[in-house]
Amino acid sequence: METPSLNEHQKAIAILQHTNDGDALSAADLALLETVVNFGLAALTETGVKHWNSIYEQAIQGQY
């Protein structure tokens, strides 16, 4: 059975947990997180979505 993917709010929480409650995020990345939480991925360009996923991957791997 495949594990369900995390929704974007869960990803945002994980990012915050792995970046000292967002304190380690750049201002631009924090703004991106806020946009995703408030408006969803539909508010992002294709490049924005790729960057969002990159932030998530870096954060959970402890590389942000």
Side-chain angles (χ1 to χ4, degrees):
M1 175 185 281
E2 186 175 324
T3 304
S5 62
L6 296 175
N7 72 37
E8 300 318 311
H9 287 144
Q10 290 170 318
K11 285 184 178 180
I13 291 168
I15 291 168
L16 292 172
Q17 289 173 334
H18 288 88
T19 59
N20 195 28
D21 290 333
D23 288 345
L25 292 173
S26 70
D29 289 349
L30 184 58
L32 183 65
L33 182 142
E34 291 171 345
T35 299
V36 170
V37 167
N38 291 323
F39 304 106
L41 290 181
L44 304 181
T45 63
E46 183 179 336
T47 301
V49 172
K50 288 178 183 177
H51 188 66
W52 169 249
N53 290 322
S54 174
I55 293 168
Y56 172 72
E57 290 299 325
Q58 289 175 32
I60 64 168
Q61 293 173 8
Q63 298 174 351
Y64 186 93

